[in-house]
Amino acid sequence: MQQMGTFPSEVTYVSVLNDCSHMGLVESGRKYFNLMITEHNVSPNVVHYSCMVDLFGRSGLLLEAYNLIEEMPFDATTSMWGSLLASCRIHGKLHLAVVAAKHLSEIEPNNAGNHILLSNIYAANKKWDEVARIRKLLKESELKKERGKSWIEIKDKVHSFMVGERKHARIAEIYSKLDCLIEELKIMGYKAETEHDLHYVGDNRKHELLRHHSEKLALTLGLMCLPSNASIRIMKNLRICGDCHSFMKIASSCTGKEIIVRDTNRFHHFKNGCCSSREFW
């Protein structure tokens, strides 16, 4: 654009900064954020700041993300605090997670998802008393968490799954196939990441719960029913968990399939053991 004499607009910079965030390009993000001000006289708006908060958070620079929120000339949006809260879960920063959750609860008092995410962070840090307190609060306030589900379309029919699904007509066959697939993946290095199951239960129960996540069931049906040369496309209404993300990478290598998962954040293209997200999502 610059070589053609076209000056980037504020919309251009939103796209560039958003790409830097999803690719984990921290220094490039800093460069372009400064460039828009010094070279092109574009005043950063709340969306540009949101991109930078997301970039810092994804990259583990949580204090820098928080300081940017505090110093910017706008009121922080729900997406900013939500991004910081999600990053705190990934990077294990409990103190900042509590700060972000407090702000979110003031802006969105009826959003159960924010309370659930904070509860999950407490669970990951084994703060079970705090987990119980939040779950009691949710129960008393009657706020409802959206249940996770995944779905896949096969021959113009949509097949939907929830964790531990029992209602699908071929569920026994699906579980049997999934068990075989898991054993194959273990040979290639797959090991269930039980830290991503945040229930207060023993390891054996955690393994069972992770084993039956909805996206794994959808993938298994795709492997059973789709042509050998077809990609497997799965939709999910929540963010894919870390264990399922690792599972899909190894499954793409083991089966030779391209697996595409669209979760609430982005598209994940799994191929030959790699994901297009480069572990930023």
Side-chain angles (χ1 to χ4, degrees):
M1 291 177 70
Q2 290 176 289
Q3 289 173 355
M4 293 174 63
T6 303
F7 292 103
S9 67
E10 61 180 23
V11 177
T12 309
Y13 276 108
V14 168
S15 297
V16 171
L17 293 175
N18 187 59
D19 284 346
C20 287
S21 174
H22 281 278
M23 297 295 288
L25 302 175
V26 176
E27 293 309 315
S28 292
R30 290 187 208 271
K31 183 185 85 171
Y32 287 117
F33 188 76
N34 292 326
L35 191 69
M36 66 186 290
I37 303 168
T38 58
E39 293 292 325
H40 297 124
N41 199 30
V42 175
S43 297
N45 60 33
V46 70
V47 182
H48 300 115
Y49 276 98
S50 185
C51 290
M52 293 303 293
V53 169
D54 194 54
L55 169 61
F56 291 145
R58 287 171 183 267
S59 303
L61 303 173
L62 300 177
L63 189 58
E64 196 162 347
Y66 175 72
N67 288 338
L68 185 63
I69 290 175
E70 290 293 292
E71 295 167 2
M72 69 181 187
F74 308 100
D75 290 333
T77 63
T78 55
S79 66
M80 289 181 186
W81 289 120
S83 173
L84 183 61
L85 181 58
S87 296
C88 286
R89 177 187 172 183
I90 294 169
H91 298 287
K93 298 296 184 181
L94 183 57
H95 173 68
L96 276 180
V98 173
V99 173
K102 180 177 180 294
H103 283 284
L104 279 170
S105 65
E106 292 171 355
I107 301 171
E108 297 181 323
N110 297 321
N111 187 339
N114 298 326
H115 296 285
I116 293 295
L117 189 50
L118 180 59
S119 172
N120 290 344
I121 294 170
Y122 278 130
N125 286 273
K126 296 182 169 51
K127 303 285 186 180
W128 301 114
D129 289 344
E130 292 296 327
V131 172
R133 180 184 63 80
I134 292 177
R135 289 180 179 174
K136 181 182 178 184
L137 174 67
L138 287 171
K139 186 176 181 180
E140 291 175 349
S141 63
E142 297 185 348
L143 295 176
K144 300 296 184 184
K145 176 192 175 186
E146 184 177 12
R147 290 193 65 187
K149 65 178 180 180
S150 302
W151 58 98
I152 183 171
E153 184 175 339
I154 299 173
K155 294 181 179 178
D156 298 324
K157 182 179 179 180
V158 175
H159 300 260
S160 182
F161 298 92
M162 290 188 176
V163 61
E165 182 67 48
R166 294 293 175 190
K167 295 181 179 179
H168 193 277
R170 301 181 67 182
I171 197 62
E173 190 179 352
I174 291 170
Y175 279 130
S176 177
K177 173 71 174 178
L178 177 57
D179 287 343
C180 293
L181 177 61
I182 289 173
E183 293 306 312
E184 289 180 40
L185 299 193
K186 283 180 179 178
I187 296 172
M188 299 185 67
Y190 170 68
K191 182 179 179 181
E193 300 172 13
T194 54
E195 65 270 22
H196 295 293
D197 183 90
L198 301 170
H199 295 87
Y200 190 25
V201 295
D203 270 356
N204 288 340
R205 179 59 177 152
K206 285 177 181 284
H207 277 278
E208 183 182 344
L209 290 168
L210 287 172
R211 193 182 194 93
H212 297 159
H213 273 194
S214 61
E215 50 267 62
K216 292 187 178 86
L217 299 176
L219 170 66
T220 304
L221 183 65
L223 290 171
M224 289 165 52
C225 299
L226 290 171
S228 59
N229 61 344
S231 299
I232 297 176
R233 301 172 184 269
I234 299 165
M235 300 290 287
K236 183 172 176 63
N237 68 330
L238 301 177
R239 180 183 181 274
I240 188 173
C241 82
D243 176 70
C244 286
H245 194 267
S246 298
F247 183 91
M248 295 293 174
K249 285 196 298 183
I250 300 175
S252 71
S253 179
C254 177
T255 64
K257 288 276 195 179
E258 181 181 15
I259 303 167
I260 303 166
V261 178
R262 176 63 166 107
D263 70 3
T264 189
N265 280 3
R266 63 175 296 158
F267 281 96
H268 299 260
H269 293 254
F270 300 96
K271 189 173 182 179
N272 298 326
C274 298
C275 177
S276 59
S277 68
R278 298 190 181 185
E279 307 308 314
F280 289 92
W281 83 93

